[in-house]
Amino acid sequence: MYCIINGETIHLPAHVRTVAQLLHHFHIHKKIAIVEINMHIVPKEDYEHTAIADGDRIEIVHFVGGG
């Protein structure tokens, strides 16, 4: 499946089907992140159940600490 993630077309492996799996795939699952699919913000409590479909436009924002 192909999705546009943060403006870049990316081929996702077959096992990545939900927002939670997507974050785990990119090693962001342990960070604070905001996910938007097709211009709709996905509540964190829905990450496990929100499906990703071919052609979805996904924005992922995660916070990086530093000083």
Side-chain angles (χ1 to χ4, degrees):
M1 148 171 68
Y2 287 91
C3 291
I4 299 170
I5 301 175
N6 293 350
E8 182 179 342
T9 301
I10 296 180
H11 178 261
L12 294 173
H15 70 275
V16 177
R17 295 290 178 215
T18 66
V19 171
Q21 292 167 342
L22 178 71
L23 295 176
H24 189 75
H25 176 72
F26 287 113
H27 304 286
I28 303 172
H29 61 288
K30 293 184 180 180
K31 298 180 181 181
I32 297 172
I34 297 171
V35 179
E36 178 185 277
I37 299 178
N38 301 322
M39 301 181 68
H40 297 285
I41 294 176
V42 179
K44 185 173 182 169
E45 60 269 12
D46 294 342
Y47 286 1
E48 291 286 335
H49 308 289
T50 301
I52 297 170
D54 192 50
D56 277 347
R57 297 183 73 84
I58 302 168
E59 294 292 325
I60 302 171
V61 178
H62 65 94
F63 301 93
V64 179

